[in-house]
Amino acid sequence: MAISKPYPRIFIPMDSDTEISSSPYLEDNRYVDNREASSLINAAALIIDDYMSLCEYIEPVNKNKNTYSHRTYELLLRVATEFEANCKGILEANGYNVSHVNIKDYCKLNQVMLLDQYKIKTSLWSPEQTLMPLSEWSTGHSLTWYNAYNDSKHNRFSNFDKASFENVFKGICSLVVLLAAQFPFMVGRISGRSNLIFTTDEPNTLLTSDFSIEFPTRQDSQKYSFDWNTLKCDASPFDKYQFS
């Protein structure tokens, strides 16, 4: 049975769609405060700008993946902080107690958002990379790049090398996926340009200046099914997802 009401900050296509297309519920301020969404997108855009500046000194190739410095350390901390802010925001919007959350709680988002199945292609690494940055959530709650962030944050002297260029890159890809899974029609702004395109050749794929994001394939029972023009007049047009 399809889902009869949307969940806050959780993008799911409609069962009537043959491809990802405009979903008007995303534009409702009850889905997300537009100011918060803009703040999250802008923070990610700044991180990517700073990553590109770092690429002026470190070539983003496999030979340099283990390179680390105070600059990569700083950027990894920022990426992880934004990743946490997004995870907490989604959980809290759905009534989850976020007082003392950690990666085990963030992983619960995968139950409904299918984050482990998102595929991202990007030119931020050479040669162009295609990866599923949250695929580790299919078998557990850990993320290698996030563990590296925690280790380097809690003991930088001993674990400084874990704040590597590769972990920064994988963290950025994870953050972009998480943003696309909430605000697919704002992701183009991450690159400072609003030229995002949903392809017709690959219906589940979103193209931006720097990323190609392939969304999960869902059964109709995993999709939204409602008439938003009618539902939006309801006193409570959104449900809260009950995370187990």
Side-chain angles (χ1 to χ4, degrees), residues 11-46:
F11 169 73
I12 296 176
M14 302 293 294
D15 63 353
S16 57
D17 291 343
T18 56
E19 60 184 66
I20 295 174
S21 57
S22 181
S23 300
Y25 70 87
L26 294 169
E27 301 170 14
D28 194 292
N29 212 46
R30 291 167 292 184
Y31 176 77
V32 66
D33 186 318
N34 290 327
R35 295 169 300 175
E36 183 174 1
S38 293
S39 176
L40 293 166
I41 291 288
N42 291 341
L46 285 172

Side-chain angles (χ1 to χ4, degrees), residues 17-237:
D17 291 343
T18 56
E19 60 184 66
I20 295 174
S21 57
S22 181
S23 300
Y25 70 87
L26 294 169
E27 301 170 14
D28 194 292
N29 212 46
R30 291 167 292 184
Y31 176 77
V32 66
D33 186 318
N34 290 327
R35 295 169 300 175
E36 183 174 1
S38 293
S39 176
L40 293 166
I41 291 288
N42 291 341
L46 285 172
I47 285 171
I48 293 175
D49 282 348
D50 289 344
Y51 172 87
M52 296 305 294
S53 295
L54 194 57
C55 288
E56 296 176 10
Y57 304 93
I58 308 172
E59 189 69 14
V61 295
N62 286 342
K63 284 185 178 180
N64 295 330
K65 66 181 182 180
N66 295 322
T67 301
Y68 63 96
S69 70
H70 285 284
R71 295 301 185 191
T72 59
Y73 173 71
E74 173 192 26
L75 207 48
L76 183 60
L77 264 59
R78 287 172 56 198
V79 171
T81 298
E82 285 306 309
F83 186 80
E84 291 172 339
N86 278 272
C87 289
K88 287 178 184 177
I90 301 165
L91 290 169
E92 186 172 30
N94 285 277
Y96 195 93
N97 185 348
V98 296
S99 298
H100 302 287
V101 290
N102 56 36
I103 192 68
K104 293 180 181 179
D105 301 285
Y106 305 152
C107 180
K108 293 181 180 181
L109 296 174
N110 201 48
Q111 296 171 12
V112 61
M113 300 179 81
L114 309 184
L115 295 166
D116 64 312
Q117 298 178 37
Y118 276 77
K119 186 181 294 184
I120 187 168
K121 182 187 293 184
T122 179
S123 57
L124 296 186
W125 200 267
S126 181
E128 187 174 68
Q129 296 289 299
T130 300
L131 63 160
M132 300 171 72
L134 297 170
S135 61
E136 290 173 280
W137 275 356
S138 65
T139 55
H141 63 264
S142 294
L143 295 172
T144 300
W145 73 265
Y146 188 86
N147 290 343
Y149 146 73
N150 260 326
D151 290 343
S152 59
K153 179 182 70 171
H154 291 298
N155 192 334
R156 183 180 60 78
F157 184 76
S158 297
N159 298 310
F160 199 19
D161 61 322
K162 294 186 178 182
S164 67
F165 199 38
E166 180 183 39
N167 282 328
V168 171
F169 168 72
K170 289 184 175 179
I172 288 173
C173 290
S174 299
L175 178 59
V176 171
V177 162
L178 190 54
L179 289 165
Q182 299 173 79
F183 323 120
F185 303 101
M186 297 178 72
V187 171
R189 286 171 46 189
I190 293 176
S191 302
R193 299 173 289 276
S194 58
N195 62 338
L196 82 172
I197 303 168
F198 286 94
T199 70
T200 53
D201 294 334
E202 300 175 77
N204 285 329
T205 302
L206 166 65
L207 299 180
T208 75
S209 301
D210 298 316
F211 302 98
S212 169
I213 304 165
E214 184 178 333
F215 288 68
T217 300
R218 293 174 179 264
Q219 302 297 319
D220 282 349
S221 61
Q222 298 175 306
K223 295 181 179 180
Y224 288 145
S225 180
F226 49 78
D227 177 359
W228 180 248
N229 286 329
T230 301
L231 184 59
K232 68 181 181 182
C233 300
D234 193 284
S236 301

